[in-house]
């Protein structure tokens, strides 16, 4: 068995930054939500990758997101999938957040009961430590 | 490219069970290939190409080549295909048909199967994978683990954008369950479902409850494809490929477009344009239904009803046997069992042969097989045409 799946079983997964994504995670540790920006078309995108998905440009830098947005889709998860890492959290929220810069990311709204999260709710980023990194979750605004 | 005198499906093999008794996905696929070849009245010596999707739960390099060796096939091609979900069987069939048409190889088999129910390498909840998914860095750390959670996010958009209620999901689930009662292999054949059962089912990932989710299965399915001039002389009336359309928009749910921009409509339009057929020509539809919301979005994409009208369509019996275009008369992934959509393809052939028994759609001449992979990130529509009976 090649390695990825069993490692998922040991606690909640911790992202393993790539060369491309490392500035994003360094930003989270510094309390900044950073988005990749393409210098050619001036568009931001998410998730980080080696080229702009809008125009193919490879001259990329990072901009700081305001960290605010709106819940685009939401679910209350009642099971811990692929092991028991989430067993103590159920029922927990997972949401897609549409940032005010226009990109969407998968995260969760924390600090309110999972079933009170609704599409259209205004949220702001909050960074939660896990392992050696910080994850961008969201709180109600 | 595709036409009535083009390559045709001439044999099918199906196996579906709760427990394959320790057989591997490779062995299950080999069994389905042997059954399909026998069904066509051929032998393995007649097989010149193997197209296979590897078992998801058991990552495997050069899978089709391994399968060909396992079967003792010596020939021209062994091609591993992983286009995504139900699009994989459709793509296998397209590639095989094109290659036969252009003389690259002779008779081909297209196959998928696995021991998803009993053969998983590690314990866990849900259908686990042996390979990386591309969700490890930006989805799973936030609790978006497995397949139900992304589909629940999609389902929340469906209810929000179209003002639908979960009663639409219930209608899909109950229709599939009623159909499954008519299929001898269906895993949920003896488990009738009422609206009350649906309402009482435990929530898995809101708005999807247990009965919105497909049934994990062991098994395999295979089809044999050969050139038209050979097809005419075989056991069964040939089933021809009338049209195929596919689309690609995204992979991960964080890139999900608005529902109006999902690729199912584009795939269907391509298949209709290529074949000269329309939604009104479809007698029976086999649609990927990993979750109930998938059925609604797919019948809308096919144009059996309008965008956002799937909820009323399902509640008014549009999916049911006896309706204008029965959907998943075999019970589908929801109630027959989830084998990646390969049994949607074999069921389409059974329906077009007219041998589906109590679940036969009377006079079925045109079948649509429609599916998606990766939360509608890639979509495919295959139109099949039966012979005059
Ligand atoms: Zn750009």
């Amino acid at each position: 068995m090649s390695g990825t799946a069993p490692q998922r079983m040991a606690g909640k997964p911790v992202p393993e930054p790539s060369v491309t994504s490392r500035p994003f995670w360094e930003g989270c540790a510094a309390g900044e939500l950073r988005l990749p920006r393409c210098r050619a078309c001036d568009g931001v995108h998410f998730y980080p990758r080696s080229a702009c998905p809008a125009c193919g440009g490879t001259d990329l830098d990072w901009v700081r997101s305001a960290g605010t947005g709106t819940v685009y889709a939401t679910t209350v998860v009642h099971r811990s999938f692929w092991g028991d890492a989430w067993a103590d959290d159920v029922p927990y929220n997972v949401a897609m957040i549409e940032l005010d810069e226009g990109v969407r990311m998968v995260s969760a709204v924390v600090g309110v009961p999972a079933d009170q999260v609704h599409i259209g709710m205004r949220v702001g980023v909050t960074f939660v430590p896990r392992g050696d990194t910080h994850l961008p979750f969201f709180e109600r605004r | 490219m595709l036409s009535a005198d083009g390559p045709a499906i001439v044999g099918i093999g199906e196996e579906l069970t709760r427990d394959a008794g320790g057989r591997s996905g490779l062995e299950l696929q080999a069994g389905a290939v042997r059954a399909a070849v026998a069904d066509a009245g051929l032998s393995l010596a007649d097989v010149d190409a193997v197209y296979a999707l590897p078992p998801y739960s058991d990552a495997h390099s050069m899978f089709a080549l391994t399968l060909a060796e396992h079967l003792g096939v010596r020939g021209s091609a062994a091609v591993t295909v992983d286009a995504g979900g139900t699009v994989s069987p459709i793509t296998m069939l397209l590639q095989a048909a094109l290659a036969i048409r252009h003389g690259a190889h002779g008779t081909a088999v297209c196959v998928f199967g696995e021991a998803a129910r009993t053969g998983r390498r590690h314990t866990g909840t849900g259908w686990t994978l042996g390979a990386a998914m591309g969700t490890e860095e930006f989805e799973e750390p936030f609790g978006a683990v497995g397949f139900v959670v992304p589909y629940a996010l999609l389902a929340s958009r469906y209810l929000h954008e179209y003002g639908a209620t979960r009663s639409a999901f219930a209608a899909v689930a109950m229709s599939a369950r009623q159909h499954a009662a008519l299929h001898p292999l269906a895993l949920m054949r003896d488990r009738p479902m009422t609206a009350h059962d649906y309402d009482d089912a435990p929530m898995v990932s809101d708005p999807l409850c247990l009965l919105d989710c497909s049934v994990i299965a062991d098994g395999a399915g295979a089809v044999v494809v050969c050139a038209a001039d050979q097809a005419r002389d075989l056991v069964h009336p040939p089933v021809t490929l009338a049209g195929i359309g596919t689309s690609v928009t995204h992979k991960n749910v964080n890139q999900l477009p608005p529902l109006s921009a999902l690729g199912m409509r584009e795939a269907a339009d391509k298949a209709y344009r290529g074949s000269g057929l329309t939604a009104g020509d479809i007698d029976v539809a086999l649609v990927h239904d990993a979750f109930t919301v998938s059925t609604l979005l797919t019948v809308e994409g096919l144009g059996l009803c309008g965008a956002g009208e799937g909820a009323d369509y399902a509640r008014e019996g549009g999916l049911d046997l006896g309706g204008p275009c029965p959907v998943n008369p075999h019970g589908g992934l929801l109630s027959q069992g989830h084998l990646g959509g390969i049994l949607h393809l074999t069921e389409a052939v059974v329906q077009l042969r007219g041998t589906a028994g109590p679940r036969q759609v009377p006079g079925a001449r045109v079948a649509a097989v429609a599916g998606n992979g990766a939360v509608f990130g890639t979509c495919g529509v295959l139109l099949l045409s039966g012979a005059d009976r």
Side-chain angles (χ1 to χ4, degrees), chain A residues 26-58:
Chain A
E26 289 172 350
C28 291
E32 286 184 15
L33 188 64
R34 295 177 185 165
L35 297 175
R37 182 184 71 100
C38 171
R39 290 176 190 270
C41 72
D42 203 35
V44 294
H45 59 270
F46 189 82
Y47 51 96
R49 57 200 101 168
S50 65
C52 168
C55 78
T58 54

Side-chain angles (χ1 to χ4, degrees), chain A residues 21 25 46 72 75 92 104 130, chain B residues 137 141 143 157 205-206 256:
Chain A
S21 68
W25 295 110
F46 189 82
Y72 181 80
T75 180
Y92 67 92
R104 290 200 285 267
R130 182 182 302 165
Chain B
E137 187 172 2
R157 289 301 303 175
S205 189
D206 192 294
L256 187 74

Side-chain angles (χ1 to χ4, degrees), chain B residues 25 27 80 84 96 126 135 139 160 180 198 230 234 236 336 346 352 367:
Chain B
E27 291 168 316
T80 300
T135 53
E139 297 190 10
H160 176 79
Y198 181 88
Q230 293 169 281
L234 294 175
H236 298 286
Q336 191 203 33
T346 53
L352 294 174

Side-chain angles (χ1 to χ4, degrees), chain B residues 238-293:
Chain B
V239 169
T240 53
L241 285 60
I244 292 183
T246 58
S247 65
V248 169
T249 52
H250 64 283
K251 163 66 172 56
N252 290 340
V253 73
N254 67 36
Q255 306 293 306
L256 187 74
L259 298 186
S260 59
L262 290 179
M264 188 60 74
R265 173 57 59 88
E266 178 189 337
D269 285 345
K270 289 174 180 171
Y272 293 145
R273 272 201 303 276
S275 63
L277 296 168
T278 70
D281 294 316
I282 301 171
D283 299 310
V284 56
L286 290 308
V287 313
H288 188 97
D289 55 340
F291 301 95
T292 48
V293 66

